[in-house]
Amino acid sequence: MQADTIKIGISACLAGEKVRFDTGHKRSNFCMDEFAKHVEYTRFCPEVAVGLPIPRPTIRQVRVGDTIKVCRPDGSGDVGPQLTAYGIKVATEQAKELSGFVFCAKSPSCGMERIKIYNEAGTGNTSEGVGFFAEQIMKHNPLLPCEENGRLNDMHLRENFVMRVYTFKNWQKLIQQPLNVHRLTQFHAQYKYLLMAHNYQAYRDLGHLLGTFLGDDVTELADKYILGLMNGLKKPASRKNNCNTLMHLQGYFKKDLSSVEKQEMREAIDEYSDGLVPLYVPLTLLKHHLKVHPNEYLEKQVFFNPYPNELKLRYGI
């Protein structure tokens, strides 16, 4: 495996493996037909890993007193402790090499959220559970970008997940060498406008964090920085924030563009603001001006190319 290979964890059924209770799968077309061209998957089926057969009786989360079992509908065959133990093992041994994880939604082992927890009598349920395996992956790797297959059908959530995967991979590459404040500040400079588009307050806070650092513990600074960056990027960028960012970037060309070119740029941003065109339209125009009028600082901005253009993720947002 090459050092720059992006490794993604994935529920095996989403990769097309017939590991579900009914010998079926839930293959994700996006993950396997599009994203797979750019990443390498590590597949996990926690239920098979803890010894459950294929096919097998269905299992679900059941509240019994103060505990939750992962068992058959009749209450037998609890595998909750085994799923937790396996989750901890993967989270602490294998997940450190991953740059993201795609989980199978609604699964009592792999679901990220809103998993049904049944009462002991089986007469009702609440949607407040977390898959036992997924819970451990997320708990032990709070920076790791995670998403569910169903949510990836939403173009904004899909784009956001892929962007965070590439951001985290870039961070993983950065920390392979000893960090200092200069390298950390250079990294942040590249993410300035991407962060502005997603969370303006985080953009200001992280700039202040780095700008006022006077201590010696760069590791602590880096830990605070990457936590702030990944949390700041979690929410998809709003149309309003993207427009604000585009206008900031446009300002770099105010001395280079003719009045006609400036008007064309403003109209492209306005049409995006009104929902008439996708983000790709004004962004392409900005990239054109950047080629004609090179700017070393702007050329390093991740906002322009946060992931491979072949994924076409900005065509739909």
Side-chain angles (χ1 to χ4, degrees):
M1 185 188 73
Q2 296 180 355
D4 287 344
T5 299
I6 297 177
K7 295 186 69 174
I8 304 290
I10 192 170
S11 296
C13 60
L14 302 181
E17 294 188 16
K18 297 180 179 180
V19 293
R20 286 176 56 78
F21 71 97
D22 58 358
T23 73
H25 62 79
K26 290 191 123 180
R27 187 180 187 277
S28 166
N29 291 336
F30 168 70
C31 289
M32 303 314 297
D33 296 337
E34 299 177 52
F35 203 24
K37 297 175 183 176
H38 305 277
V39 304
E40 176 183 294
Y41 289 113
T42 302
R43 306 175 184 193
F44 300 92
C45 179
E47 293 171 19
V48 172
V50 301
L52 296 180
I54 308 170
R56 56 184 175 273
T58 59
I59 57 174
R60 62 190 187 185
Q61 294 190 12
V62 179
R63 189 183 303 279
V64 180
D66 294 331
T67 64
I68 298 174
K69 292 183 176 182
V70 183
C71 57
R72 297 171 185 168
D74 64 6
S76 65
D78 180 22
V79 291
Q82 295 97 309
L83 288 171
T84 296
Y86 177 65
I88 293 173
K89 178 179 175 62
V90 171
T92 56
E93 295 179 7
Q94 293 178 263
K96 304 301 181 184
E97 298 181 1
L98 303 178
S99 301
F101 209 115
V102 183
F103 293 105
C104 181
K106 301 180 181 179
S107 163
S109 59
C110 286
M112 285 176 59
E113 59 185 2
R114 297 190 299 276
I115 305 305
K116 289 183 178 180
I117 303 178
Y118 291 82
N119 60 31
E120 195 170 358
T123 56
N125 63 75
T126 59
S127 297
E128 57 181 335
V130 179
F132 274 40
F133 172 75
E135 183 176 27
Q136 297 306 318
I137 302 298
M138 295 186 292
K139 175 182 176 182
H140 291 276
N141 301 276
L143 299 176
L144 186 69
C146 296
E147 196 51 273
E148 291 183 330
N149 59 312
R151 285 167 50 90
L152 288 177
N153 292 324
D154 181 304
M155 286 301 299
H156 290 85
L157 297 178
R158 177 186 295 187
E159 189 273 343
N160 182 263
F161 172 67
V162 173
M163 175 274 295
R164 287 186 290 123
V165 165
Y166 275 86
T167 297
F168 192 49
K169 177 61 178 180
N170 287 339
W171 176 259
Q172 290 172 316
K173 289 192 290 186
L174 180 75
I175 61 176
Q176 287 176 0
Q177 302 294 329
L179 274 182
N180 54 43
V181 177
H182 177 66
R183 292 186 67 224
L184 196 54
T185 301
Q186 282 187 319
F187 181 86
H188 175 65
Q190 297 173 23
Y191 278 90
K192 175 180 176 180
Y193 286 108
L194 184 65
L195 188 57
M196 178 186 286
H198 285 264
N199 190 317
Y200 190 79
Q201 188 59 50
Y203 153 76
R204 294 189 62 183
D205 290 345
L206 290 178
H208 183 264
L209 175 70
L210 295 175
T212 59
F213 178 73
L214 298 174
D216 298 320
D217 193 344
V218 177
T219 299
E220 182 181 356
L221 174 67
D223 289 344
K224 289 181 179 179
Y225 173 79
I226 190 57
L227 180 62
L229 179 64
M230 297 308 295
N231 284 339
L233 294 176
K234 270 187 178 180
K235 185 178 180 180
S238 68
R239 196 173 293 272
K240 179 180 178 181
N241 284 356
N242 271 331
C243 285
N244 179 54
T245 303
L246 291 167
M247 292 174 69
H248 271 83
L249 293 168
Q250 178 191 17
Y252 283 88
F253 301 103
K254 60 183 179 182
K255 295 181 180 180
D256 301 312
L257 304 185
S258 68
S259 58
V260 173
E261 289 172 323
K262 290 177 182 177
Q263 179 65 24
E264 181 186 35
M265 190 70 246
R266 282 195 296 270
E267 289 176 355
I269 295 175
D270 287 344
E271 288 182 345
Y272 166 69
S273 178
D274 293 338
L276 300 177
V277 298
L279 178 60
Y280 186 77
V281 172
L283 200 57
T284 298
L285 193 53
L286 271 175
K287 287 182 180 181
H288 165 72
H289 292 314
L290 185 56
K291 283 185 178 180
V292 177
H293 309 286
N295 181 300
E296 185 177 356
Y297 177 68
L298 288 190
E299 287 168 356
K300 294 179 180 178
Q301 289 301 313
V302 178
F303 179 79
F304 285 109
N305 297 290
Y307 37 71
N309 286 330
E310 292 83 356
L311 288 167
K312 301 178 182 179
L313 295 174
R314 281 173 161 170
Y315 287 32
I317 62 173

